[in-house]
Amino acid sequence: AKAVWDFCVEKMNMNLDPEDEDYSPLSVGSLTYGITLENLVNAYIPYGNYGTQCDAHIVSKIEDSNRNVIYSNDGNPRDAVSEETAWVMNRLLKNVVDNGTGTFAKLSYKTLCGKTGTTDNWYDLTFVGLTRDFVSGITIGYKQYNTALELPTSLHSASVWKNIIGDYADTMFTDTPVDFDPVESVVHGRPRRCALSHKRLLYRRKQ
């Protein structure tokens, strides 16, 4: 639990409660109080940024009329995970949108990676989506659980994200590539041999 806690707090910059440093909360993501949407979205940055974490910020640079920089903020970049780990996570998050619970958020032009989130009593829903241009998220629900305030199970956070942010994410950055650049050191495609037994793997075609 200590290793997971350290990774979340030190590498992913998550503002966890001290009581979260326990086996039960960390194993299933059931935090004592949870984290803010900004903090949650911020934690996804490394998976679209080759493993580099940055602090959330709106203004990167301010210049005067003579193009002199009077303010700059690069987000304090630092390594959170390796490029290889970030790329594998990126493709897993892409699969969530392509084939999983995030299909309602899929874009027409840009490649989207993302993750849905739901509390066990269905009173809070979240979706975080990232393109190669930026990462964003939405949350729907209530601060406190109340049986009279449960959200309908037909409500999809991925749909809400797409309705609010989807068009902007899909059309405002036409000068940047559609997908993330792959990390060349990660092997792509299906493995030919088992990593443990080294026996050749056989794949059957779907009928």
Side-chain angles (χ1 to χ4, degrees), residues 12 22-23 29 46 48 65 70 120 137 146 153 189 191-192 200:
M12 306 308 285
D22 199 355
Y23 290 106
S65 58
I70 58 177
D120 54 357
N146 185 318
T153 56
R192 295 183 176 182
R200 185 177 294 276

Side-chain angles (χ1 to χ4, degrees), residues 3 14 40 58 68 126 130 136 145 187:
M14 296 173 67
L40 175 65
I58 297 175
N68 297 312
T126 60
L130 59 152
S136 58
Y145 173 66
V187 177

